[in-house]
Amino acid sequence: MKKLFPLALLLFTINITAQGPQGQSPIKITGTILDNETGEPLEYATLVLQSVENPEKVTGGISDAKGRLEVETAPGNYNVSIEYISYKSIKFDNRAFNSSTDLGTLKLSLDVAQLEGVEVVGERTTVEVRLDKKVYNVGKDLTNSGANISDALNNIPSVSVDVDGAISLRGNDNVRILINGRPSALAGFGSTDALRQLPADAIEKVEVITSPSARYDAEGTAGILNIVLKQEKTLGFNGSINTSVGYPIASQVTSNVNLRTDKFNIFNTLGYTFREPPGNGLFDNRYFNGAFDRIIEERDIQRRDKAFNVNLGIEYFLTKKSSLTGSVFGRFSDEQDVTENTSERFILDDLDSRTLRREQQNEDDNNYQVSLNYNNNFNDEGHKLTADLQYSYGKEVSPTTIVENNTFPDNQLLASEKVFQNEIQNEYLIQADYVLPIGDSQFEAGFRGDYEQTITDFKLDTLNQNTGQFETNQNLTNTFTYDENVTAVYTQYGNKFGGFSFLLGLRLENTQLKGQVDSEFDEDALQEILGPEIALNFDKNYLGLFPTINLIYELNDKENISLGYNRRINRPRGFFINPFPSRVSRTNIFQGNPNLNPAYANAFDLGYLRRWDKLTLTTSVYYQKETDSFERIQEETGQNTSDGIPIIRSIPINLSTNERIGAEAAVLYNPKKWLRLNGSFNFFKFKKEGFFNDVDYGADNTSWFARFSSKVSLPAKIDWQTNAFYRGPSQNAQTENKGIFSLDLAFSKDVLDDKATVSLGVRDLLNSRKRRSFTETPFFTSESEFQWRERQFTASFIYRFNQKKSERNNQRNNGGNDDGEFEGGGS
């Protein structure tokens, strides 16, 4: 609404603008509009000029993303008003303008009295289109109350999160996750598991970057999801406390506290979660060889997750233009998963035996992150320098106990194993970015160094039933050290000519992938076991150029067309490259592939945006061609378990190509003051080609997903929100996945003079969020159904102190540029 109001006002004023007297040359009135507290530019602020001689003659204009405005008018005396929703206006009466005049920098202050009743006005459009990204504000999504960040991402257009928590963008799971524009321990060093332990209400907005500019790391062939966390910018002491309880057992308490003065801003977030989310699975496996023809597995999964996270930081304002920010983050989690797998084993159609496999996996995670940021805004025009230093440390201890027994026709111990896996990660980040505006254009250059080392210790002990002692399996016990070092420099230039804006960039990156295996096993014998094609130790370097082009043409104030091109890279993670097999079960192993090379992709994106008074439409078509794309395949090892079941190996490989073409559309519709509707649809087709060990793993598939959300304001200040999501069927060379549908509901009501909010919600109301798939290989078939988390009911209570709900929702940096990128024709 903040944006629509000034746009409507501008259109109105244009219609009634009076022409100056004949013969008089027009003059220009310019200026810059800033927030008085934060110093951030106010986009879509309005300048109104009313003629003193003829009050019916009115003209005006609106500010751009940098707060700058420029209005052309005839010389004369005017009543001047600078206005912005929820801010106090600045007025000058009977001011003479006989020549072009620069009003300078004008700072607007919040109008607290107006804020008391401005909630509907403060509800801005939830999508902003920039030159290289779309920005979604998720702070007012009721279904996020009591949810985690992973849940919140599943409500974002173009994004989908499967039942295992894997995140994909436009159906492509090679997406880079950033927190506040940087890789972060908050995201678990690239793993999505940590996102399930952080509360969704910590998010201010999510940036969907499908055509990243050169400023960003080239990692992620699908693009980038940048999660921007909340940081209050109001003077004084303020904050909020959020508590929630749920069934199955799920409890959470989170506090966000800020103390801001003219010299410093102290911010702190504390969070604790305790969950016991049950899951289940059913697998029907048919084998073409081995001792059994069919095995039916039924899994029951009981989890207990405890996590505590703390983020403490202070921003010190060195001058009015510069600041130094230091922060410390810690996340500590204790997880326990107990999986009971009952297997019925058939010879032809006759039940031969039944087994019970019990796996208990404990996982203790400790993650720390220390960061230091320097920010210097040389002037109000966007000339700035930022520098970042960041160190992250993570340690994961994951012992697993596996016991498998025959329960029919007799009781007998089949196997007992103990798996010990410890992982230590160290990451250093150094980054500097310089932005220099040159009139309407902008030049930018920067450096980034990201150096990460992962050390994985793996040990497998197997019970010797003859001696009753556990013996270490030297064939699998090892230590794997993996280094991924990325050094990059970039430059980019943007400019705007009338309604046309462009941003051109070039990034140079050098990637070093280095691996070393330490094992007591004889290296020659080890090489024979792993295979001659597997490299135990390696040191590879890849140097690449990554150009980016982003264009926007504004047809008018409410309509634009965008075009983007970028080249991206997909680097294999340590898990995918570790040559030692890891035991998933007695019958399944996963083995990394050190010969895996990075994949490269060229992507094109053509977008269209149109705004009406009550409706916003965004559409795009996209094409991507990836070479050496990753594919995870299954194949026989030629080995059987002691009771005659074939052992299957999963391994990632480089396919030759992966072509993807798709189209998406999203609609935001506000037909009434009390009703908001939001829908999106994404259709894509991909074609993969490639062979491995003389087997064709090519595939050609079409799929789609859609979501719908409605928010209704009921009497008595009750809000009701419904979210629905459907992902269509999909397949690759070996597996067909059926469609998935889920439905979420939430109700909320403001209480205690709008200082608090009570909400009730249910996620997956129909308990239908299950992955159903069919896998077919030359040696077995598997029909499966898996549910990571069952239906969840949640009740939550949020209390805000020294801030109203409307004040919290009022985004004063609306359209401001958090990361200094050229905004050009963004809207």
Side-chain angles (χ1 to χ4, degrees):
M1 289 295 295
K2 272 185 183 175
K3 294 184 177 181
L4 295 179
F5 175 79
L7 285 174
L9 177 62
L10 177 61
L11 292 175
F12 173 75
T13 58
I14 289 174
N15 287 334
I16 63 174
T17 297
Q19 301 298 319
Q22 282 299 106
Q24 285 189 320
S25 300
I27 61 174
K28 289 184 179 180
I29 310 300
T30 57
T32 302
I33 315 300
L34 303 180
D35 182 298
N36 185 50
E37 293 182 359
T38 67
E40 294 178 349
L42 294 178
E43 184 182 10
Y44 296 101
T46 58
L47 169 66
V48 180
L49 300 173
Q50 181 186 41
S51 173
V52 174
E53 290 80 9
N54 186 356
E56 293 183 358
K57 296 180 179 180
V58 181
T59 188
I62 58 176
S63 59
D64 61 16
K66 297 178 181 179
R68 295 184 303 213
L69 52 81
E70 181 178 304
V71 175
E72 191 172 275
T73 188
N77 294 336
Y78 291 92
N79 294 322
V80 183
S81 178
I82 296 94
E83 303 172 359
Y84 193 67
I85 294 295
S86 304
Y87 283 70
K88 295 178 181 179
S89 300
I90 295 178
K91 298 181 183 294
F92 305 106
D93 292 332
N94 197 16
R95 181 159 181 176
F97 293 104
N98 298 315
S99 61
S100 295
T101 303
D102 184 2
L103 298 176
T105 299
L106 302 169
K107 296 185 178 182
L108 301 184
S109 300
L110 280 168
D111 189 341
V112 178
Q114 186 186 151
L115 280 172
E116 296 292 335
V118 79
E119 181 177 342
V120 174
V121 175
E123 182 144 2
R124 63 176 180 146
T125 304
T126 59
V127 58
E128 301 170 29
V129 177
R130 309 278 181 89
L131 264 169
D132 60 347
K133 60 193 170 189
K134 294 184 179 73
V135 183
Y136 295 92
N137 173 34
V138 299
K140 301 198 75 174
D141 192 328
L142 304 184
T143 60
N144 287 336
S145 184
N148 56 50
I149 288 181
S150 184
D151 295 327
L153 291 177
N154 203 40
N155 293 330
I156 300 297
S158 305
V159 182
S160 60
V161 183
D162 69 14
V163 294
D164 297 313
I167 299 169
S168 61
L169 182 59
R170 292 174 168 176
N172 187 343
D173 59 6
N174 182 227
V175 55
R176 178 74 156 165
I177 307 294
L178 302 178
I179 305 290
N180 293 334
R182 306 175 188 88
S184 173
L186 278 73
F189 296 97
S191 168
T192 59
D193 291 341
L195 299 180
R196 289 172 165 168
Q197 300 170 5
L198 300 174
D201 62 3
I203 305 176
E204 177 182 332
K205 59 188 176 184
V206 175
E207 297 177 344
V208 178
I209 310 171
T210 52
S211 183
S213 68
R215 188 178 208 271
Y216 292 99
D217 180 9
E219 171 70 26
T221 55
I224 295 171
L225 290 179
N226 182 31
I227 301 169
V228 180
L229 302 182
K230 293 176 181 175
Q231 182 177 333
E232 183 59 47
K233 297 179 180 179
T234 304
L235 287 172
F237 180 68
N238 53 77
S240 64
I241 298 176
N242 187 350
T243 62
S244 66
V245 295
Y247 176 83
I249 296 174
S251 58
Q252 173 182 295
V253 57
T254 306
S255 67
N256 292 283
V257 178
N258 281 80
L259 174 62
R260 186 182 181 99
T261 70
D262 291 332
K263 290 300 296 180
F264 62 84
N265 179 29
I266 299 176
F267 51 93
N268 173 243
T269 300
L270 294 174
Y272 176 79
T273 60
F274 180 86
R275 303 176 187 269
E276 292 185 349
N280 60 80
L282 181 65
F283 301 80
D284 189 348
N285 305 319
R286 298 177 183 268
Y287 296 88
F288 303 145
N289 54 55
F292 302 104
D293 297 298
R294 183 184 185 188
I295 299 178
I296 299 177
E297 302 179 15
E298 186 173 351
R299 295 183 188 176
D300 178 72
I301 307 171
Q302 298 296 323
R303 303 184 183 88
R304 187 201 65 197
D305 301 337
K306 295 187 294 183
F308 173 76
N309 62 83
V310 55
N311 187 30
L312 175 63
I314 180 170
E315 180 180 12
Y316 182 74
F317 304 105
L318 302 171
T319 67
K320 290 184 178 181
K321 301 291 186 181
S322 63
S323 66
L324 188 66
T325 303
S327 64
V328 179
F329 170 79
R331 180 173 61 85
F332 316 96
S333 67
D334 178 11
E335 302 177 38
Q336 183 183 89
D337 292 358
V338 178
T339 303
E340 291 189 347
N341 190 343
T342 301
S343 299
E344 293 184 330
R345 306 170 337 164
F346 295 83
I347 297 178
L348 297 178
D349 293 329
D350 298 325
L351 178 63
D352 176 80
S353 58
R354 183 183 296 113
T355 64
L356 175 63
R357 179 177 184 267
R358 189 177 190 273
E359 175 181 328
Q360 178 174 317
Q361 180 181 10
N362 297 316
E363 186 174 303
D364 293 331
D365 280 325
N366 293 323
N367 289 276
Y368 310 90
Q369 180 174 289
V370 179
S371 59
L372 187 65
N373 166 263
Y374 172 73
N375 185 70
N376 191 342
N377 295 293
F378 296 105
N379 57 37
D380 296 330
E381 304 299 316
H383 185 198
K384 65 186 298 184
L385 171 68
T386 61
D388 295 274
L389 295 174
Q390 181 174 289
Y391 169 69
S392 301
Y393 170 85
K395 182 177 182 180
E396 177 183 289
V397 180
S398 181
T400 303
T401 301
I402 303 172
V403 179
E404 189 164 357
N405 290 280
N406 246 334
T407 60
F408 173 83
D410 52 18
N411 291 320
Q412 180 186 3
L413 177 64
L414 288 176
S416 180
E417 298 178 342
K418 294 181 179 179
V419 180
F420 304 92
Q421 180 166 307
N422 299 335
E423 187 172 272
I424 296 176
Q425 293 178 311
N426 286 280
E427 183 174 15
Y428 299 88
L429 174 69
I430 305 171
Q431 182 172 334
D433 301 283
Y434 176 72
V435 181
L436 176 64
I438 308 172
D440 287 336
S441 65
Q442 181 168 295
F443 169 79
E444 184 173 350
F447 167 84
R448 181 185 181 118
D450 196 348
Y451 311 108
E452 179 182 346
Q453 182 180 78
T454 304
I455 303 174
T456 305
D457 286 325
F458 184 87
K459 178 184 176 184
L460 173 65
D461 289 350
T462 304
L463 177 66
N464 185 327
Q465 297 191 46
N466 294 325
T467 64
Q469 301 294 318
F470 281 91
E471 299 175 352
T472 299
N473 186 331
Q474 298 293 348
N475 293 349
L476 297 180
T477 298
N478 70 96
T479 299
F480 179 62
T481 302
Y482 179 61
D483 292 273
E484 179 182 295
N485 301 319
V486 181
T487 304
V489 292
Y490 79 93
T491 184
Q492 61 185 21
Y493 175 78
N495 207 339
K496 182 175 182 178
F497 302 97
F500 176 72
S501 304
F502 68 85
L503 183 62
L504 308 178
L506 185 63
R507 187 178 186 90
L508 175 67
E509 285 192 354
N510 183 78
T511 299
Q512 180 190 38
L513 304 180
K514 184 178 180 181
Q516 179 179 332
V517 172
D518 294 312
S519 174
E520 296 181 3
F521 201 69
D522 179 76
E523 186 169 323
D524 293 335
L526 181 62
Q527 192 74 63
E528 183 177 347
I529 291 174
L530 298 179
E533 76 281 1
I534 300 296
L536 294 179
N537 302 304
F538 56 90
D539 188 350
K540 304 177 182 179
N541 276 273
Y542 305 88
L543 183 66
L545 281 173
F546 300 91
T548 62
I549 302 173
N550 288 287
L551 314 172
I552 280 186
Y553 180 68
E554 296 179 1
L555 302 173
N556 52 58
D557 289 338
K558 296 185 177 182
E559 191 175 16
N560 66 51
I561 298 173
S562 60
L563 176 64
Y565 162 77
N566 63 94
R567 185 171 186 254
R568 310 289 294 164
I569 184 174
N570 182 9
R571 306 180 187 94
R573 304 298 297 174
F575 179 64
F576 263 35
I577 215 165
N578 186 343
F580 264 86
S582 62
R583 185 71 67 95
V584 179
S585 71
R586 291 197 309 126
T587 58
N588 292 275
I589 61 173
F590 177 86
Q591 182 177 351
N593 182 4
N595 296 332
L596 205 62
N597 292 316
Y600 294 90
N602 291 284
F604 300 84
D605 189 296
L606 177 64
Y608 171 76
L609 176 140
R610 178 72 165 90
R611 298 182 191 272
W612 291 268
D613 289 341
K614 297 182 179 181
L615 186 145
T616 300
L617 169 69
T618 59
T619 63
S620 64
V621 293
Y622 53 90
Y623 170 79
Q624 180 185 89
K625 184 171 183 179
E626 185 176 356
T627 57
D628 284 336
S629 62
F630 300 163
E631 183 75 8
R632 184 169 169 171
I633 57 98
Q634 293 178 309
E635 61 180 12
E636 288 184 296
T637 62
Q639 302 174 349
N640 294 332
T641 63
S642 58
D643 46 345
I645 302 175
I647 297 176
I648 299 169
R649 177 179 77 159
S650 295
I651 186 171
I653 63 170
N654 285 115
L655 281 183
S656 58
T657 62
N658 182 356
E659 286 189 90
R660 182 181 297 265
I661 187 170
E664 63 180 351
V667 174
L668 175 67
Y669 183 44
N670 298 95
K672 299 291 183 180
K673 181 177 179 180
W674 49 268
L675 177 62
R676 184 177 69 180
L677 304 176
N678 193 347
S680 63
F681 178 82
N682 195 303
F683 172 87
F684 56 92
K685 177 181 175 64
F686 67 82
K687 182 178 181 180
K688 299 180 180 180
E689 296 178 349
F691 287 81
F692 183 73
N693 289 341
D694 299 323
V695 177
D696 184 2
Y697 290 101
D700 194 340
N701 182 236
T702 299
S703 188
W704 59 279
F705 61 87
R707 56 171 46 87
F708 172 80
S709 174
S710 68
K711 184 177 179 182
V712 181
S713 296
L714 302 173
K717 291 188 176 181
I718 297 176
D719 288 333
W720 165 27
Q721 184 166 323
T722 303
N723 286 354
F725 175 81
Y726 179 78
R727 187 176 66 194
S730 63
Q731 70 177 48
N732 59 24
Q734 294 183 324
T735 301
E736 296 179 4
N737 297 301
K738 297 182 180 180
I740 297 177
F741 175 79
S742 64
L743 182 67
D744 303 334
L745 294 179
F747 296 87
S748 76
K749 176 176 173 56
D750 294 332
V751 296
L752 302 179
D753 192 27
D754 290 348
K755 293 181 180 179
T757 302
V758 177
S759 63
L760 299 173
V762 54
R763 301 192 66 83
D764 195 11
L765 176 66
L766 305 179
N767 204 36
S768 57
R769 191 168 176 79
K770 302 177 181 181
R771 183 188 66 213
R772 295 173 296 160
S773 61
F774 177 77
T775 299
E776 183 175 11
T777 74
F779 46 90
F780 89 111
T781 65
S782 177
E783 187 171 0
S784 64
E785 179 179 286
F786 179 74
Q787 184 177 27
W788 175 267
R789 181 182 61 187
E790 299 176 6
R791 176 174 43 217
Q792 179 77 54
F793 297 90
T794 304
S796 65
F797 176 78
I798 303 175
Y799 181 77
R800 297 171 290 275
F801 50 93
N802 296 334
Q803 60 172 204
K804 292 287 188 181
K805 179 182 179 182
S806 53
E807 182 179 348
R808 177 197 61 171
N809 291 328
N810 177 41
Q811 303 294 331
R812 291 178 299 282
N813 61 339
N814 186 29
N817 190 359
D818 298 311
D819 50 22
E821 291 192 34
F822 178 74
E823 293 301 323
S827 57

